[in-house]
Structures are given as C-alpha cells and as structure tokens.
Amino acid sequence: MKTKYIMNLTKKIALTAAVGFFVNLTFAQSVQDGINYVDSQKYAKAKQNYTDLINQNPKDASNYFYLGNTYLTQFDPNFNEAQESFNKGLAADPKSYLNKIGLASIKLGKGDKSAISEIQQIVKDSREKDAEVLFRAGEALTLFEKNSSPDLAITFLNKAIEKAQKGGVPANYYYSLGDAYRLKKDPGNAMSAYDKAEAVAKNKASVYTRKGTLWIAAQQWQQAKENIDKAIAVDPTYAPAYKALAGFNIKYQKNTEATQNLINYTKYADDDPYTKLEIAKLYFTNEDYANAKKTLDEVFDKVNDPIKYKLRSYIQYGDGDYAGAKQNMDTFLSQADKTRIQPSDEGLQGLIAAGLAKTEKDAAVKAQLEAVTQQKIAFAKAAKDETLKWDEELAKIKGGISNASANEGPTNATIDALKAKVAANPKDTDTLYKLAQEYQNVQNWNGAILTWSKMSSALPDWAPAYYSQGYAYQQAGNNEMAKASYEKFISLVKPAEIEASKQSLGYAYFFIAYMEKDTNPEKAKQDIAKSLEYEPTYQDAVNLQKTLNK
C-alpha cells in the first residue's frame, strides 16, 4: 500500500510570532500523526485524527484533503467518502489545489485517464510553488496501478524533493518516488530512492518493509528476509512488516509462521472495518471459509463499501449456497461502480448459475442458466483471470462436488481430527496430504478431490497432487476432469523425477489415450506410445495400441 508523509504547517496569521509558532508546530505534529497512522495501516486512527483537526479548525481546507486521501489509500478505496471530504475542502477554500488533486484522483481511480491531464493543469495553475502540491500530484499518479502514470509522477516527485530541500525533504517524498519507480519496473532507481528515504526517516520500519517487498518481487529471498526482520526490530508494532513477512513465509510454505505473522498483523493494525475486510479476504484466500465468514460478519454492517457483498458471495459459493451467493453478487453488481467489476466476477456468476442449474426443474430456465455459465466462464478465461480454476470448479459443481457433498460422504474419527487441523492451518501440506489419503481410504471421492485441490493450490508445482486428483476424479466418474488432471500431472513432472514417476506416467498417458481414441485417434496413438515408453509391459496399453493401429 502506498504511504504518505508530509510536514505541512498552517499558513494562518497568528496574533504574535510566539503563539503562531506554537500553533503551527502543534498542527504539523497532528498532521504527521495522521500520516504515520496511514503508513501503519491504522486507518481508523488516521480518520479520527483528521476529523479532530477539522473540528478544531473547520476553515482549513487541507484537513479535508488529508481525511479524503485516507479513504483513497485504504485497502478498498471509498470514493464517496473521499469525494464528500474533498468537496467540503473546496467549500472552505475554492482555490485549494490539494482538494482539486483529490477529486482528480477519484476520477483516475474510476478509470478516467483524462484526470492525468487535469492533474497536470492543477500543478500548472499552482505555478509549482508548493512542494506539497507537487508531492500529492505525483502520489495521485501512483495510487491506482492500472490507471497510473509513473513517468509523470517521477517528474512531479523530483520537483517536490527539489522544492523541499531547503527545509529538509520528508522521508515519504523519497519512498513515494521509489514506489513510482517500482510501477515503472525500475528496481534499481526504486532502491536508490528507498536508500535516500532511509537516511532521513525517523521510523525506518516503513523503508525496510518496502525494501523487503522489493527484494521479494526480485526473488532475492535472503535480502528480503533481512530487511523485513530489520523493520520489525526497529518497530515491533509496525503492522505492514508482519503482512510482508507472512507473504515471505507463504512462499516458503512455512504455514505456521505465516499464520502467526497474520495474527500479529491483525494485532497491530487497528479495528478499522475496511482493514478487517482485508483480513477476511486473506482468510478466504487461504480457503479458511469459517474464519473468513466470522471476520466478515463482525464488520458487515459497519462498512458501506459494496465489496462486502462480493466477498460474502464468494464465501457462500465456497459453502455451496448458490442462491445466497447469487443474491449477494447481484447486490454488489447493482451498487458497485462499473470500473470495480472484474473478470473474476463474471466467472463467479457463471459458476453460481451452474450451481443453480443443477437443481432447476424448469427446462427453459435450466437451459438459460447453462448458457449463462458458458458465457461468463468463457469471459473470465479469455481475460486470463486465475482467481479460481474455472474448469475445475465447474466440474466440481456438475459432479456434485462441494464442501457439503464431502461432509455428507463416508468419514471416520481420523478424518474429523485431520479436518480440524486443516481448519486451524489451511496451508499445512502435511496434514492436507494425510487427509486426502484418508478420504481415499474410506472412498469419499468428493472429499479427496477437494483436498487434493487444496494441496495443488498450496504446492502448485507438485506433480503428484494432480495425479492423485485425477485418480479421485476417475473414481467419482468424472472422466473429463480426470483427463485434465492427468495432463497437468504430466506437464509438471521434472526430468529428474521421470525415473521415479514412470508407472504413474504410463497410466496417465494410457487414460488420456483411452479418452481420445474416438475423438482424436491420431493423438491417442501418440499418447499410447508414450504410455508404453514408460510402462512397456502394461497390458491395457498394449491392447489399446493394437486397437488403434488396426
């Protein structure tokens, strides 16, 4: 999340120089407090800080800008609240360049790139006299990655830094410059800017965290860990460092550590409803639907952002509640700005329609739902959206595979104990493996399919998970998805693993050839030859080759 620092002294004329100095110093510290809260992802405290400043001095337009900008920089921007605050700022001072930049930022966030020219004009009108206006103009051009202008942002930020030299350049000027270079995919200049920020920052945790995430992006793991550890060492309460460390540990499959990192992140970020909404998303990403639902329920009535309906829709879809999922997705679509609708939302609508079609009795309605399914999922796949495995999810629905269907299947005490462990740590691959095996032992194929799917999400390059998933699909009677899983298994087997995987490769190629023998016999001949290359004595493959060569 981009962060903002500024030391902004009020320009009001005081009765005496001494009193004026005291007032300005107090105001500046309060503004800095708010900026620090935003940087620490304590958005509720930041909003309260700026609200207090407005109540103390409702005629100072800049206070309204800082409050509105907090709504823009939180995890899910609240454009309505931001706009209301910026408009109040302009009512207090119609010439306020900051609030004009704020309104242009909203346009940019909604996808209107004419706002870039608008921001340029605002800077021109200001005659580039105010470092703060230059800084906020540059920052605005980096807030929304898909609608950013990093080159222009770099120009404005460098001018802001030059203008601020006399009084001392705030650290956030430098690390916002680094953020702009990151958007430009220029890590060298980004790191140089962060180095300059480190030299002047009072709390270096923010800079170290940025350096750590930059090293993560470059897959330089040792440097990443060193910098994140430095951030926590200098400020153990700096929430974003724990979130960064969680991302690091997830990549290393250190699931217990990652869980603790997220607990600390929750502990040190504040109880702002939008932050809790973000935490609910993290639970959902970890396929921990119970905690996602619990966290979302805690704040559902406290947030106005329609994103809450989309998240609830995903959770209900995961639980197999297709009617509830449709209702909440429809509410999201009716309330959300069109620029916030993603290809994944189309895909989810398709999956929900498929779920509803399964139990629909009216033939015409059923056909309509199935048409929606094909259209929506095709749209998500064409957009190369990978939020969900669309074909696999569709196959689960058509095969009646859901959490509910798994729970209704055969079980035992071992399964119950393993499920409890997975619920506590959804990315515990050792427990997931044992649970999938136990599901297979009791022939609960739906449970096995779902668990192998979780395993492949946790370890996407681990080939055996896809082979086992193919076997479970086959036993469940879903040959199309079995074929897809075996194909994925084959694609992931590394050269060094071929010798140990020969038997599995032989069977996988045989099954694919068998599925293709009627629709694509030439391809089937190639696959059966590969099967016998790995398993020359496999009699079923020998027989199929004879049939194909007749």
Side-chain angles (χ1 to χ4, degrees):
M1 178 61 62
K2 301 171 180 61
T3 49
K4 297 85 191 141
Y5 287 89
I6 182 65
M7 185 65 73
N8 183 38
L9 299 180
T10 180
K11 295 180 180 178
K12 285 201 167 287
I13 299 173
L15 293 176
T16 68
V19 174
F21 177 78
F22 177 78
V23 171
N24 285 343
L25 184 61
T26 303
F27 173 73
Q29 184 59 47
S30 295
V31 169
Q32 188 64 53
D33 284 345
I35 290 165
N36 291 341
Y37 287 141
V38 169
D39 177 57
S40 300
Q41 297 177 2
K42 294 177 170 64
Y43 297 110
K45 289 184 177 179
K47 291 169 189 173
Q48 187 60 56
N49 183 83
Y50 293 132
T51 300
D52 290 343
L53 283 175
I54 289 169
N55 291 336
Q56 292 168 20
N57 191 356
K59 293 183 179 180
D60 192 324
S62 62
N63 295 335
Y64 296 99
F65 167 77
Y66 294 123
L67 177 60
N69 210 45
T70 302
Y71 281 106
L72 286 187
T73 54
Q74 64 188 25
F75 293 107
D76 283 300
N78 189 321
F79 295 127
N80 292 335
E81 294 284 355
Q83 183 169 336
E84 181 180 345
S85 192
F86 296 143
N87 282 334
K88 286 180 179 178
L90 284 171
D93 177 6
K95 295 182 179 180
S96 171
Y97 297 119
L98 289 178
N99 285 289
K100 288 178 181 179
I101 289 171
L103 291 176
S105 299
I106 293 173
K107 288 176 66 175
L108 197 56
K110 291 182 176 182
D112 184 350
K113 292 192 176 182
S114 70
I116 296 173
S117 297
E118 191 173 322
I119 290 170
Q120 283 181 291
Q121 186 60 49
I122 294 167
V123 171
K124 183 178 179 181
D125 292 344
S126 76
R127 299 183 182 180
E128 301 188 6
K129 292 182 176 181
D130 190 336
E132 171 69 345
V133 171
L134 287 163
F135 169 67
R136 294 297 175 176
E139 175 196 64
L141 296 168
T142 67
L143 280 177
F144 309 102
E145 184 173 355
K146 291 182 179 178
N147 301 304
S148 61
S149 181
D151 285 323
L152 185 57
I154 289 165
T155 297
F156 288 152
L157 291 168
N158 276 323
K159 287 182 177 181
I161 289 168
E162 182 181 355
K163 185 70 67 175
Q165 289 288 347
K166 189 174 181 180
V169 181
N172 62 310
Y173 278 35
Y174 286 121
Y175 62 63
S176 293
L177 178 62
D179 294 346
Y181 275 118
R182 286 180 77 157
L183 280 175
K184 195 180 175 181
K185 303 192 184 305
D186 184 347
N189 276 318
M191 191 62 76
S192 295
Y194 294 155
D195 285 340
K196 291 177 181 177
E198 182 182 343
V200 299
K202 290 183 179 179
N203 186 342
K204 302 185 189 302
S206 179
V207 183
Y208 289 139
T209 300
R210 276 176 166 75
K211 286 186 172 184
T213 57
L214 184 59
W215 283 121
I216 288 175
Q219 298 187 13
Q220 298 294 319
W221 309 116
Q222 182 177 343
Q223 293 96 322
K225 182 68 162 55
E226 286 175 356
N227 276 279
I228 296 171
D229 285 346
K230 281 183 184 179
I232 293 171
V234 298
D235 185 355
T237 68
Y238 187 67
Y242 293 102
K243 191 176 182 183
L245 187 56
F248 175 88
N249 282 323
I250 287 169
K251 284 186 178 292
Y252 267 99
Q253 296 299 315
K254 295 182 178 180
N255 305 111
T256 302
E257 292 93 331
T259 297
Q260 186 58 52
N261 300 150
L262 289 174
I263 290 171
N264 283 331
Y265 171 70
T266 306
K267 177 181 177 182
Y268 294 119
D270 64 18
D271 281 334
D272 182 76
Y274 292 91
T275 304
K276 294 202 113 180
L277 198 63
E278 179 71 8
I279 293 166
K281 289 180 190 177
L282 292 172
Y283 279 125
F284 179 81
T285 302
N286 286 331
E287 299 181 356
D288 186 349
Y289 301 128
N291 274 321
K293 182 178 185 302
K294 177 184 174 185
T295 307
L296 180 62
D297 287 346
E298 289 175 0
V299 297
F300 196 83
D301 295 329
K302 299 177 183 178
V303 293
N304 298 321
D305 197 318
I307 196 77
K308 66 183 183 180
Y309 295 105
K310 177 162 76 170
L311 183 55
R312 179 166 279 180
S313 179
Y314 271 93
I315 293 169
Q316 288 173 315
Y317 165 75
D319 285 338
D321 178 6
Y322 302 120
K326 182 179 187 306
Q327 181 179 350
N328 277 290
M329 178 54 76
D330 287 346
T331 302
F332 167 73
L333 294 171
S334 69
Q335 294 187 12
D337 189 281
K338 301 306 178 188
T339 60
R340 299 183 69 187
I341 297 172
Q342 303 295 321
S344 58
D345 302 330
E346 297 282 330
L348 184 62
Q349 290 176 74
L351 294 175
I352 291 169
L356 293 170
K358 277 188 62 68
T359 55
E360 180 55 56
K361 304 298 183 185
D362 187 305
V365 175
K366 187 181 185 75
Q368 185 179 19
L369 288 168
E370 289 174 344
V372 169
T373 296
Q374 292 182 0
Q375 176 193 354
K376 298 289 188 181
I377 290 179
F379 182 89
K381 290 169 64 177
K384 301 188 183 304
D385 184 277
E386 297 181 352
T387 303
L388 294 174
K389 298 175 182 176
W390 303 111
D391 288 333
E392 187 171 318
E393 291 293 323
L394 184 57
K396 290 177 187 176
I397 294 169
K398 289 184 175 180
I401 301 171
S402 65
N403 288 326
S405 66
N407 292 337
E408 291 168 1
T411 190
N412 57 30
T414 301
I415 287 174
D416 292 339
L418 291 169
K419 282 170 63 179
K421 287 187 69 176
V422 169
N425 187 357
K427 298 294 185 180
D428 181 350
T429 53
D430 182 60
T431 302
L432 282 171
Y433 177 84
K434 291 175 181 176
L435 178 59
Q437 292 281 13
E438 193 60 31
Y439 270 132
Q440 290 187 176
N441 290 340
V442 300
Q443 298 187 9
N444 184 335
W445 303 116
N446 287 346
I449 290 166
L450 288 173
T451 309
W452 286 122
S453 178
K454 291 177 182 179
M455 176 69 91
S456 61
S457 294
L459 298 173
D461 295 328
W462 192 55
Y466 294 95
Y467 182 86
S468 297
Q469 191 175 41
Y471 175 76
Y473 269 124
Q474 191 179 343
Q475 294 303 312
N478 192 332
N479 288 339
E480 283 297 327
M481 283 309 299
K483 176 176 176 287
S485 297
Y486 286 138
E487 287 172 336
K488 185 69 173 178
F489 160 71
I490 290 169
S491 73
L492 289 175
V493 175
K494 298 176 178 63
E497 299 167 344
I498 287 176
E499 187 63 33
S501 304
K502 279 187 172 181
Q503 186 175 8
S504 298
L505 285 165
Y507 182 78
Y509 272 112
F510 162 74
F511 185 85
I512 294 167
Y514 184 84
M515 290 293 293
E516 292 172 333
K517 63 183 176 61
D518 297 323
T519 57
N520 193 348
E522 290 305 313
K523 175 70 164 51
K525 288 179 183 179
Q526 296 173 22
D527 287 326
I528 204 65
K530 292 292 290 184
S531 173
L532 289 169
E533 177 184 329
Y534 292 116
E535 278 284 275
T537 61
Y538 183 34
Q539 193 59 49
D540 287 344
V542 171
N543 294 339
L544 180 57
Q545 187 178 54
K546 288 178 180 178
T547 300
L548 289 168
N549 288 333
K550 283 184 180 178

